[in-house]
PDB file of all heavy atoms in Angstrom:
ATOM      1  N   SER A  25      -4.715  15.718  -4.234  1.00 98.00           N
ATOM      2  CA  SER A  25      -5.168  15.592  -2.826  1.00 98.00           C
ATOM      3  C   SER A  25      -4.125  14.942  -1.992  1.00 98.00           C
ATOM      4  O   SER A  25      -3.188  14.252  -2.459  1.00 98.00           O
ATOM      5  CB  SER A  25      -6.482  14.923  -2.787  1.00 98.00           C
ATOM      6  OG  SER A  25      -7.067  15.109  -1.464  1.00 98.00           O
ATOM      7  N   GLY A  26      -4.289  15.164  -0.695  1.00 98.00           N
ATOM      8  CA  GLY A  26      -3.324  14.568   0.234  1.00 98.00           C
ATOM      9  C   GLY A  26      -3.975  13.998   1.377  1.00 98.00           C
ATOM     10  O   GLY A  26      -5.152  14.394   1.838  1.00 98.00           O
ATOM     11  N   VAL A  27      -3.424  13.036   2.106  1.00 98.00           N
ATOM     12  CA  VAL A  27      -3.833  12.379   3.288  1.00 98.00           C
ATOM     13  C   VAL A  27      -2.578  12.313   4.273  1.00 98.00           C
ATOM     14  O   VAL A  27      -1.508  12.001   3.824  1.00 98.00           O
ATOM     15  CB  VAL A  27      -4.345  10.959   3.019  1.00 98.00           C
ATOM     16  CG1 VAL A  27      -4.702  10.211   4.310  1.00 98.00           C
ATOM     17  CG2 VAL A  27      -5.601  10.987   2.070  1.00 98.00           C
ATOM     18  N   GLN A  28      -2.833  12.511   5.499  1.00 98.00           N
ATOM     19  CA  GLN A  28      -1.835  12.615   6.425  1.00 98.00           C
ATOM     20  C   GLN A  28      -1.419  11.201   6.988  1.00 98.00           C
ATOM     21  O   GLN A  28      -2.450  10.580   7.340  1.00 98.00           O
ATOM     22  CB  GLN A  28      -2.129  13.510   7.654  1.00 98.00           C
ATOM     23  CG  GLN A  28      -2.394  14.936   7.326  1.00 98.00           C
ATOM     24  CD  GLN A  28      -2.558  15.802   8.633  1.00 98.00           C
ATOM     25  OE1 GLN A  28      -1.656  15.978   9.349  1.00 98.00           O
ATOM     26  NE2 GLN A  28      -3.796  16.264   8.743  1.00 98.00           N
ATOM     27  N   PRO A  29      -0.194  10.846   7.087  1.00 98.00           N
ATOM     28  CA  PRO A  29       0.160   9.543   7.759  1.00 98.00           C
ATOM     29  C   PRO A  29       0.224   9.709   9.192  1.00 98.00           C
ATOM     30  O   PRO A  29       1.272   9.698   9.850  1.00 98.00           O
ATOM     31  CB  PRO A  29       1.549   9.412   7.163  1.00 98.00           C
ATOM     32  CG  PRO A  29       2.115  10.702   7.084  1.00 98.00           C
ATOM     33  CD  PRO A  29       1.017  11.614   6.719  1.00 98.00           C
ATOM     34  N   THR A  30      -0.947   9.751   9.843  1.00 94.00           N
ATOM     35  CA  THR A  30      -1.078  10.012  11.255  1.00 94.00           C
ATOM     36  C   THR A  30      -1.937   8.938  11.965  1.00 94.00           C
ATOM     37  O   THR A  30      -2.572   9.074  12.821  1.00 94.00           O
ATOM     38  CB  THR A  30      -1.643  11.293  11.665  1.00 94.00           C
ATOM     39  OG1 THR A  30      -2.879  11.497  10.821  1.00 94.00           O
ATOM     40  CG2 THR A  30      -0.733  12.555  11.417  1.00 94.00           C
ATOM     41  N   GLY A  31      -1.620   7.683  11.562  1.00 84.00           N
ATOM     42  CA  GLY A  31      -2.260   6.413  12.103  1.00 84.00           C
ATOM     43  C   GLY A  31      -3.597   6.246  11.538  1.00 84.00           C
ATOM     44  O   GLY A  31      -4.138   6.910  10.585  1.00 84.00           O
ATOM     45  N   LEU A  33      -6.151   4.938   9.503  1.00 95.00           N
ATOM     46  CA  LEU A  33      -7.040   5.419   8.378  1.00 95.00           C
ATOM     47  C   LEU A  33      -8.485   4.844   8.609  1.00 95.00           C
ATOM     48  O   LEU A  33      -8.551   3.712   8.950  1.00 95.00           O
ATOM     49  CB  LEU A  33      -6.721   4.935   6.994  1.00 95.00           C
ATOM     50  CG  LEU A  33      -5.538   5.831   6.314  1.00 95.00           C
ATOM     51  CD1 LEU A  33      -5.096   5.128   5.118  1.00 95.00           C
ATOM     52  CD2 LEU A  33      -6.124   7.153   6.037  1.00 95.00           C
ATOM     53  N   HIS A  34      -9.529   5.650   8.499  1.00 97.00           N
ATOM     54  CA  HIS A  34     -10.857   5.103   8.902  1.00 97.00           C
ATOM     55  C   HIS A  34     -11.899   5.504   7.595  1.00 97.00           C
ATOM     56  O   HIS A  34     -11.567   6.013   6.689  1.00 97.00           O
ATOM     57  CB  HIS A  34     -11.229   5.824  10.229  1.00 97.00           C
ATOM     58  CG  HIS A  34     -11.267   7.360  10.034  1.00 97.00           C
ATOM     59  ND1 HIS A  34     -12.097   8.041   9.347  1.00 97.00           N
ATOM     60  CD2 HIS A  34     -10.406   8.087  10.620  1.00 97.00           C
ATOM     61  CE1 HIS A  34     -11.662   9.371   9.445  1.00 97.00           C
ATOM     62  NE2 HIS A  34     -10.690   9.460  10.258  1.00 97.00           N
ATOM     63  N   LEU A  35     -13.132   4.887   8.006  1.00 98.00           N
ATOM     64  CA  LEU A  35     -14.189   5.020   7.154  1.00 98.00           C
ATOM     65  C   LEU A  35     -14.480   6.467   6.558  1.00 98.00           C
ATOM     66  O   LEU A  35     -14.852   6.701   5.502  1.00 98.00           O
ATOM     67  CB  LEU A  35     -15.419   4.422   7.775  1.00 98.00           C
ATOM     68  CG  LEU A  35     -16.747   4.298   6.885  1.00 98.00           C
ATOM     69  CD1 LEU A  35     -16.412   3.261   5.820  1.00 98.00           C
ATOM     70  CD2 LEU A  35     -17.829   3.717   7.882  1.00 98.00           C
ATOM     71  N   GLY A  36     -14.193   7.459   7.486  1.00 97.00           N
ATOM     72  CA  GLY A  36     -14.406   8.877   7.038  1.00 97.00           C
ATOM     73  C   GLY A  36     -13.337   9.212   5.962  1.00 97.00           C
ATOM     74  O   GLY A  36     -13.634   9.772   4.908  1.00 97.00           O
ATOM     75  N   ASN A  37     -12.160   8.737   6.045  1.00 97.00           N
ATOM     76  CA  ASN A  37     -11.175   9.044   5.033  1.00 97.00           C
ATOM     77  C   ASN A  37     -11.420   8.313   3.808  1.00 97.00           C
ATOM     78  O   ASN A  37     -11.306   8.867   2.706  1.00 97.00           O
ATOM     79  CB  ASN A  37      -9.682   8.505   5.572  1.00 97.00           C
ATOM     80  CG  ASN A  37      -9.247   9.181   6.649  1.00 97.00           C
ATOM     81  OD1 ASN A  37      -8.881   8.425   7.765  1.00 97.00           O
ATOM     82  ND2 ASN A  37      -9.178  10.492   6.973  1.00 97.00           N
ATOM     83  N   TYR A  38     -11.985   7.169   4.015  1.00 97.00           N
ATOM     84  CA  TYR A  38     -12.315   6.342   2.879  1.00 97.00           C
ATOM     85  C   TYR A  38     -13.452   6.901   2.068  1.00 97.00           C
ATOM     86  O   TYR A  38     -13.373   7.176   0.809  1.00 97.00           O
ATOM     87  CB  TYR A  38     -12.644   4.870   3.311  1.00 97.00           C
ATOM     88  CG  TYR A  38     -13.027   3.922   2.247  1.00 97.00           C
ATOM     89  CD1 TYR A  38     -12.225   3.446   1.228  1.00 97.00           C
ATOM     90  CD2 TYR A  38     -14.326   3.452   2.093  1.00 97.00           C
ATOM     91  CE1 TYR A  38     -12.597   2.777   0.127  1.00 97.00           C
ATOM     92  CE2 TYR A  38     -14.753   2.599   1.072  1.00 97.00           C
ATOM     93  CZ  TYR A  38     -13.843   2.321   0.171  1.00 97.00           C
ATOM     94  OH  TYR A  38     -14.303   1.389  -0.849  1.00 97.00           O
ATOM     95  N   LEU A  39     -14.601   7.133   2.722  1.00 97.00           N
ATOM     96  CA  LEU A  39     -15.796   7.726   1.943  1.00 97.00           C
ATOM     97  C   LEU A  39     -15.635   9.136   1.604  1.00 97.00           C
ATOM     98  O   LEU A  39     -16.087   9.563   0.588  1.00 97.00           O
ATOM     99  CB  LEU A  39     -17.039   7.492   2.837  1.00 97.00           C
ATOM    100  CG  LEU A  39     -17.260   6.085   3.151  1.00 97.00           C
ATOM    101  CD1 LEU A  39     -18.594   5.907   4.015  1.00 97.00           C
ATOM    102  CD2 LEU A  39     -17.638   5.302   1.829  1.00 97.00           C
ATOM    103  N   GLY A  40     -15.045   9.992   2.479  1.00 96.00           N
ATOM    104  CA  GLY A  40     -14.864  11.431   2.266  1.00 96.00           C
ATOM    105  C   GLY A  40     -13.840  11.699   1.101  1.00 96.00           C
ATOM    106  O   GLY A  40     -13.938  12.672   0.390  1.00 96.00           O
ATOM    107  N   ALA A  41     -12.916  10.871   1.158  1.00 97.00           N
ATOM    108  CA  ALA A  41     -11.640  11.177   0.219  1.00 97.00           C
ATOM    109  C   ALA A  41     -11.293  10.121  -0.783  1.00 97.00           C
ATOM    110  O   ALA A  41     -11.436  10.146  -1.967  1.00 97.00           O
ATOM    111  CB  ALA A  41     -10.540  11.700   0.986  1.00 97.00           C
ATOM    112  N   ILE A  42     -10.984   8.918  -0.166  1.00 97.00           N
ATOM    113  CA  ILE A  42     -10.114   7.983  -1.131  1.00 97.00           C
ATOM    114  C   ILE A  42     -11.019   7.430  -2.097  1.00 97.00           C
ATOM    115  O   ILE A  42     -10.538   7.215  -3.228  1.00 97.00           O
ATOM    116  CB  ILE A  42      -9.464   6.921  -0.143  1.00 97.00           C
ATOM    117  CG1 ILE A  42      -8.481   7.607   0.860  1.00 97.00           C
ATOM    118  CG2 ILE A  42      -8.666   5.970  -1.068  1.00 97.00           C
ATOM    119  CD1 ILE A  42      -7.901   6.713   1.716  1.00 97.00           C
ATOM    120  N   PHE A  45     -10.924   9.728  -4.894  1.00 98.00           N
ATOM    121  CA  PHE A  45      -9.573   9.634  -5.698  1.00 98.00           C
ATOM    122  C   PHE A  45      -9.705   8.582  -6.833  1.00 98.00           C
ATOM    123  O   PHE A  45      -9.284   8.739  -7.889  1.00 98.00           O
ATOM    124  CB  PHE A  45      -8.482   9.285  -4.709  1.00 98.00           C
ATOM    125  CG  PHE A  45      -8.192  10.157  -3.656  1.00 98.00           C
ATOM    126  CD1 PHE A  45      -7.151   9.970  -2.684  1.00 98.00           C
ATOM    127  CD2 PHE A  45      -8.920  11.419  -3.362  1.00 98.00           C
ATOM    128  CE1 PHE A  45      -6.810  10.766  -1.611  1.00 98.00           C
ATOM    129  CE2 PHE A  45      -8.678  12.181  -2.223  1.00 98.00           C
ATOM    130  CZ  PHE A  45      -7.655  11.823  -1.334  1.00 98.00           C
ATOM    131  N   VAL A  59       0.959  13.298   3.007  1.00 98.00           N
ATOM    132  CA  VAL A  59       1.580  14.565   3.412  1.00 98.00           C
ATOM    133  C   VAL A  59       2.117  14.492   4.746  1.00 98.00           C
ATOM    134  O   VAL A  59       1.706  14.862   5.826  1.00 98.00           O
ATOM    135  CB  VAL A  59       0.460  15.581   3.365  1.00 98.00           C
ATOM    136  CG1 VAL A  59       0.069  16.075   2.019  1.00 98.00           C
ATOM    137  CG2 VAL A  59      -0.835  15.291   4.049  1.00 98.00           C
ATOM    138  N   GLN A 126      -9.559  24.701  12.123  1.00 96.00           N
ATOM    139  CA  GLN A 126      -8.793  23.403  12.363  1.00 96.00           C
ATOM    140  C   GLN A 126      -7.649  23.829  13.209  1.00 96.00           C
ATOM    141  O   GLN A 126      -7.224  22.966  14.092  1.00 96.00           O
ATOM    142  CB  GLN A 126      -8.291  22.773  10.903  1.00 96.00           C
ATOM    143  CG  GLN A 126      -7.711  21.415  11.335  1.00 96.00           C
ATOM    144  CD  GLN A 126      -7.217  20.720  10.167  1.00 96.00           C
ATOM    145  OE1 GLN A 126      -8.205  20.164   9.334  1.00 96.00           O
ATOM    146  NE2 GLN A 126      -6.048  20.348   9.938  1.00 96.00           N
ATOM    147  N   LYS A 130      -7.188  21.947  16.764  1.00 94.00           N
ATOM    148  CA  LYS A 130      -5.950  21.148  17.119  1.00 94.00           C
ATOM    149  C   LYS A 130      -5.087  21.897  18.112  1.00 94.00           C
ATOM    150  O   LYS A 130      -4.385  21.122  18.914  1.00 94.00           O
ATOM    151  CB  LYS A 130      -5.063  21.005  15.782  1.00 94.00           C
ATOM    152  CG  LYS A 130      -5.843  19.969  14.788  1.00 94.00           C
ATOM    153  CD  LYS A 130      -4.776  19.388  13.888  1.00 94.00           C
ATOM    154  CE  LYS A 130      -5.339  18.489  12.941  1.00 94.00           C
ATOM    155  NZ  LYS A 130      -4.265  17.884  11.904  1.00 94.00           N
ATOM    156  N   TYR A 145       0.156  25.584   8.573  1.00 98.00           N
ATOM    157  CA  TYR A 145      -0.376  24.424   7.882  1.00 98.00           C
ATOM    158  C   TYR A 145      -1.165  24.698   6.616  1.00 98.00           C
ATOM    159  O   TYR A 145      -0.735  24.113   5.552  1.00 98.00           O
ATOM    160  CB  TYR A 145      -1.279  23.654   8.842  1.00 98.00           C
ATOM    161  CG  TYR A 145      -1.854  22.423   8.400  1.00 98.00           C
ATOM    162  CD1 TYR A 145      -1.407  21.154   9.081  1.00 98.00           C
ATOM    163  CD2 TYR A 145      -2.840  22.314   7.383  1.00 98.00           C
ATOM    164  CE1 TYR A 145      -2.047  19.928   8.694  1.00 98.00           C
ATOM    165  CE2 TYR A 145      -3.544  21.155   7.149  1.00 98.00           C
ATOM    166  CZ  TYR A 145      -3.057  20.003   7.768  1.00 98.00           C
ATOM    167  OH  TYR A 145      -3.775  18.842   7.417  1.00 98.00           O
ATOM    168  N   PRO A 162     -10.363  16.801  -4.397  1.00 98.00           N
ATOM    169  CA  PRO A 162     -11.248  16.137  -3.705  1.00 98.00           C
ATOM    170  C   PRO A 162     -10.964  15.962  -2.194  1.00 98.00           C
ATOM    171  O   PRO A 162      -9.924  15.504  -1.924  1.00 98.00           O
ATOM    172  CB  PRO A 162     -11.266  14.616  -4.353  1.00 98.00           C
ATOM    173  CG  PRO A 162      -9.811  14.607  -4.884  1.00 98.00           C
ATOM    174  CD  PRO A 162      -9.475  15.975  -5.303  1.00 98.00           C
ATOM    175  N   VAL A 163     -11.812  16.333  -1.283  1.00 97.00           N
ATOM    176  CA  VAL A 163     -11.472  16.431   0.121  1.00 97.00           C
ATOM    177  C   VAL A 163     -12.935  16.115   0.808  1.00 97.00           C
ATOM    178  O   VAL A 163     -13.897  16.255   0.337  1.00 97.00           O
ATOM    179  CB  VAL A 163     -10.892  17.700   0.624  1.00 97.00           C
ATOM    180  CG1 VAL A 163      -9.376  17.766   0.372  1.00 97.00           C
ATOM    181  CG2 VAL A 163     -11.721  18.850   0.083  1.00 97.00           C
ATOM    182  N   GLY A 164     -12.852  15.930   2.145  1.00 96.00           N
ATOM    183  CA  GLY A 164     -14.036  15.844   2.881  1.00 96.00           C
ATOM    184  C   GLY A 164     -14.289  17.288   3.390  1.00 96.00           C
ATOM    185  O   GLY A 164     -13.470  18.141   3.150  1.00 96.00           O
ATOM    186  N   GLU A 165     -15.537  17.348   3.798  1.00 96.00           N
ATOM    187  CA  GLU A 165     -16.180  18.724   4.271  1.00 96.00           C
ATOM    188  C   GLU A 165     -15.210  19.591   5.159  1.00 96.00           C
ATOM    189  O   GLU A 165     -15.066  20.763   5.011  1.00 96.00           O
ATOM    190  CB  GLU A 165     -17.462  18.417   4.984  1.00 96.00           C
ATOM    191  CG  GLU A 165     -18.106  19.535   5.645  1.00 96.00           C
ATOM    192  CD  GLU A 165     -18.889  20.502   4.611  1.00 96.00           C
ATOM    193  OE1 GLU A 165     -19.332  19.894   3.583  1.00 96.00           O
ATOM    194  OE2 GLU A 165     -18.809  21.732   4.953  1.00 96.00           O
ATOM    195  N   ASP A 166     -14.517  18.828   6.045  1.00 97.00           N
ATOM    196  CA  ASP A 166     -13.619  19.529   6.950  1.00 97.00           C
ATOM    197  C   ASP A 166     -12.584  20.368   6.343  1.00 97.00           C
ATOM    198  O   ASP A 166     -11.904  21.190   7.035  1.00 97.00           O
ATOM    199  CB  ASP A 166     -13.017  18.677   8.074  1.00 97.00           C
ATOM    200  CG  ASP A 166     -12.157  17.476   7.487  1.00 97.00           C
ATOM    201  OD1 ASP A 166     -12.219  17.319   6.241  1.00 97.00           O
ATOM    202  OD2 ASP A 166     -11.471  16.793   8.234  1.00 97.00           O
ATOM    203  N   GLN A 167     -12.101  20.022   5.103  1.00 98.00           N
ATOM    204  CA  GLN A 167     -11.061  20.790   4.495  1.00 98.00           C
ATOM    205  C   GLN A 167     -11.544  21.912   3.639  1.00 98.00           C
ATOM    206  O   GLN A 167     -10.702  22.655   2.908  1.00 98.00           O
ATOM    207  CB  GLN A 167     -10.321  19.902   3.554  1.00 98.00           C
ATOM    208  CG  GLN A 167      -9.683  18.737   4.405  1.00 98.00           C
ATOM    209  CD  GLN A 167      -8.652  19.341   5.360  1.00 98.00           C
ATOM    210  OE1 GLN A 167      -7.906  20.189   5.061  1.00 98.00           O
ATOM    211  NE2 GLN A 167      -8.742  18.916   6.694  1.00 98.00           N
ATOM    212  N   ALA A 210     -21.552  11.268   1.979  1.00 94.00           N
ATOM    213  CA  ALA A 210     -20.714  11.085   3.258  1.00 94.00           C
ATOM    214  C   ALA A 210     -19.318  11.938   3.161  1.00 94.00           C
ATOM    215  O   ALA A 210     -18.267  11.437   3.337  1.00 94.00           O
ATOM    216  CB  ALA A 210     -20.227   9.601   3.296  1.00 94.00           C
ATOM    217  N   THR A 211     -19.719  13.268   3.013  1.00 96.00           N
ATOM    218  CA  THR A 211     -18.596  14.218   3.033  1.00 96.00           C
ATOM    219  C   THR A 211     -18.198  14.466   4.428  1.00 96.00           C
ATOM    220  O   THR A 211     -17.152  15.106   4.597  1.00 96.00           O
ATOM    221  CB  THR A 211     -18.989  15.535   2.295  1.00 96.00           C
ATOM    222  OG1 THR A 211     -20.156  16.024   3.011  1.00 96.00           O
ATOM    223  CG2 THR A 211     -19.255  15.303   0.822  1.00 96.00           C
ATOM    224  N   ARG A 212     -18.895  14.182   5.532  1.00 97.00           N
ATOM    225  CA  ARG A 212     -18.538  14.325   6.921  1.00 97.00           C
ATOM    226  C   ARG A 212     -19.212  13.116   7.669  1.00 97.00           C
ATOM    227  O   ARG A 212     -20.319  13.164   8.015  1.00 97.00           O
ATOM    228  CB  ARG A 212     -19.209  15.748   7.361  1.00 97.00           C
ATOM    229  CG  ARG A 212     -18.732  16.039   8.718  1.00 97.00           C
ATOM    230  CD  ARG A 212     -19.278  17.374   9.015  1.00 97.00           C
ATOM    231  NE  ARG A 212     -19.082  17.763  10.508  1.00 97.00           N
ATOM    232  CZ  ARG A 212     -17.943  18.316  10.844  1.00 97.00           C
ATOM    233  NH1 ARG A 212     -16.914  18.464  10.132  1.00 97.00           N
ATOM    234  NH2 ARG A 212     -17.737  18.464  12.125  1.00 97.00           N
ATOM    235  N   VAL A 213     -18.289  12.116   7.645  1.00 98.00           N
ATOM    236  CA  VAL A 213     -18.696  10.892   8.394  1.00 98.00           C
ATOM    237  C   VAL A 213     -18.509  11.097   9.929  1.00 98.00           C
ATOM    238  O   VAL A 213     -17.460  11.652  10.407  1.00 98.00           O
ATOM    239  CB  VAL A 213     -17.805   9.597   7.985  1.00 98.00           C
ATOM    240  CG1 VAL A 213     -18.206   8.339   8.838  1.00 98.00           C
ATOM    241  CG2 VAL A 213     -18.040   9.382   6.458  1.00 98.00           C
ATOM    242  N   MET A 214     -19.642  10.854  10.652  1.00 98.00           N
ATOM    243  CA  MET A 214     -19.566  11.078  12.068  1.00 98.00           C
ATOM    244  C   MET A 214     -19.166   9.891  12.963  1.00 98.00           C
ATOM    245  O   MET A 214     -19.207   8.822  12.571  1.00 98.00           O
ATOM    246  CB  MET A 214     -21.043  11.695  12.520  1.00 98.00           C
ATOM    247  CG  MET A 214     -21.527  12.825  11.720  1.00 98.00           C
ATOM    248  SD  MET A 214     -20.390  14.223  11.509  1.00 98.00           S
ATOM    249  CE  MET A 214     -20.636  15.061  12.853  1.00 98.00           C
ATOM    250  N   SER A 215     -18.847  10.244  14.278  1.00 98.00           N
ATOM    251  CA  SER A 215     -18.393   9.144  15.164  1.00 98.00           C
ATOM    252  C   SER A 215     -19.351   8.188  15.414  1.00 98.00           C
ATOM    253  O   SER A 215     -20.652   8.610  15.409  1.00 98.00           O
ATOM    254  CB  SER A 215     -18.023   9.853  16.506  1.00 98.00           C
ATOM    255  OG  SER A 215     -18.096   8.938  17.479  1.00 98.00           O
ATOM    256  N   LYS A 221     -20.106  14.441  16.451  1.00 96.00           N
ATOM    257  CA  LYS A 221     -18.696  14.617  16.457  1.00 96.00           C
ATOM    258  C   LYS A 221     -18.152  13.914  15.291  1.00 96.00           C
ATOM    259  O   LYS A 221     -18.592  12.800  14.726  1.00 96.00           O
ATOM    260  CB  LYS A 221     -18.048  13.907  17.754  1.00 96.00           C
ATOM    261  CG  LYS A 221     -17.703  14.933  18.724  1.00 96.00           C
ATOM    262  CD  LYS A 221     -17.068  14.264  20.033  1.00 96.00           C
ATOM    263  CE  LYS A 221     -15.967  13.179  19.836  1.00 96.00           C
ATOM    264  NZ  LYS A 221     -15.802  12.496  21.057  1.00 96.00           N
ATOM    265  N   LYS A 222     -17.208  14.447  14.516  1.00 96.00           N
ATOM    266  CA  LYS A 222     -16.541  13.792  13.315  1.00 96.00           C
ATOM    267  C   LYS A 222     -15.782  12.659  13.549  1.00 96.00           C
ATOM    268  O   LYS A 222     -15.185  12.543  14.642  1.00 96.00           O
ATOM    269  CB  LYS A 222     -15.592  15.014  12.797  1.00 96.00           C
ATOM    270  CG  LYS A 222     -15.170  14.731  11.353  1.00 96.00           C
ATOM    271  CD  LYS A 222     -14.222  15.781  10.965  1.00 96.00           C
ATOM    272  CE  LYS A 222     -12.964  15.833  11.618  1.00 96.00           C
ATOM    273  NZ  LYS A 222     -11.968  16.717  11.062  1.00 96.00           N
ATOM    274  N   MET A 223     -15.925  11.541  12.844  1.00 97.00           N
ATOM    275  CA  MET A 223     -15.175  10.469  13.013  1.00 97.00           C
ATOM    276  C   MET A 223     -13.738  10.864  12.745  1.00 97.00           C
ATOM    277  O   MET A 223     -13.451  11.598  11.721  1.00 97.00           O
ATOM    278  CB  MET A 223     -15.509   9.329  11.973  1.00 97.00           C
ATOM    279  CG  MET A 223     -14.797   8.044  12.098  1.00 97.00           C
ATOM    280  SD  MET A 223     -15.247   6.749  10.934  1.00 97.00           S
ATOM    281  CE  MET A 223     -16.888   6.222  11.598  1.00 97.00           C
ATOM    282  N   SER A 224     -12.738  10.468  13.734  1.00 95.00           N
ATOM    283  CA  SER A 224     -11.495  10.933  13.551  1.00 95.00           C
ATOM    284  C   SER A 224     -10.329  10.072  14.031  1.00 95.00           C
ATOM    285  O   SER A 224     -10.743   9.110  14.823  1.00 95.00           O
ATOM    286  CB  SER A 224     -11.439  12.292  14.412  1.00 95.00           C
ATOM    287  OG  SER A 224     -10.371  12.225  15.387  1.00 95.00           O
ATOM    288  N   LYS A 225      -9.172  10.170  13.499  1.00 92.00           N
ATOM    289  CA  LYS A 225      -8.162   9.243  13.719  1.00 92.00           C
ATOM    290  C   LYS A 225      -7.671   9.428  15.186  1.00 92.00           C
ATOM    291  O   LYS A 225      -7.136   8.506  15.713  1.00 92.00           O
ATOM    292  CB  LYS A 225      -6.883   9.717  12.899  1.00 92.00           C
ATOM    293  CG  LYS A 225      -6.895   9.365  11.446  1.00 92.00           C
ATOM    294  CD  LYS A 225      -5.860   9.949  10.751  1.00 92.00           C
ATOM    295  CE  LYS A 225      -5.896   9.601   9.186  1.00 92.00           C
ATOM    296  NZ  LYS A 225      -5.022  10.461   8.457  1.00 92.00           N
TER     297      LYS A 225
HETATM  298  P1  AMP B 412      -6.569  13.494   7.023  1.00 64.66           P
HETATM  299  O1  AMP B 412      -6.619  12.142   7.704  1.00 64.66           O
HETATM  300  O2  AMP B 412      -6.859  14.624   8.100  1.00 64.66           O
HETATM  301  O3  AMP B 412      -5.353  13.812   6.274  1.00 64.66           O
HETATM  302  O4  AMP B 412      -7.749  13.541   5.955  1.00 64.66           O
HETATM  303  C1  AMP B 412      -7.670  12.991   4.796  1.00 64.66           C
HETATM  304  C2  AMP B 412      -8.929  13.155   4.033  1.00 64.66           C
HETATM  305  O5  AMP B 412     -10.039  12.486   4.632  1.00 64.66           O
HETATM  306  C3  AMP B 412      -9.417  14.652   3.871  1.00 64.66           C
HETATM  307  O6  AMP B 412      -9.847  14.868   2.581  1.00 64.66           O
HETATM  308  C4  AMP B 412     -10.302  14.746   4.918  1.00 64.66           C
HETATM  309  O7  AMP B 412     -11.307  15.725   4.556  1.00 64.66           O
HETATM  310  C5  AMP B 412     -11.125  13.359   4.854  1.00 64.66           C
HETATM  311  N1  AMP B 412     -11.719  13.175   6.167  1.00 64.66           N
HETATM  312  C6  AMP B 412     -11.128  12.923   7.263  1.00 64.66           C
HETATM  313  N2  AMP B 412     -12.110  12.683   8.198  1.00 64.66           N
HETATM  314  C7  AMP B 412     -13.312  12.660   7.713  1.00 64.66           C
HETATM  315  C8  AMP B 412     -14.671  12.375   8.034  1.00 64.66           C
HETATM  316  N3  AMP B 412     -14.877  12.112   9.300  1.00 64.66           N
HETATM  317  N4  AMP B 412     -15.558  12.326   7.071  1.00 64.66           N
HETATM  318  C9  AMP B 412     -15.324  12.637   5.817  1.00 64.66           C
HETATM  319  N5  AMP B 412     -14.138  12.927   5.301  1.00 64.66           N
HETATM  320  C10 AMP B 412     -13.172  12.975   6.253  1.00 64.66           C
END
Side-chain angles (χ1 to χ4, degrees):
S25 196
V27 175
Q28 299 188 68
T30 45
L33 275 177
H34 54 69
L35 188 62
N37 301 126
Y38 177 68
L39 295 177
I42 304 175
F45 300 179
V59 289
Q126 184 172 298
K130 286 201 181 177
Y145 179 115
V163 281
E165 172 75 32
D166 62 345
Q167 295 303 310
T211 56
R212 187 173 173 83
V213 177
M214 308 308 277
S215 158
K221 259 174 54 188
K222 193 177 72 169
M223 185 178 285
S224 129
K225 289 168 176 170

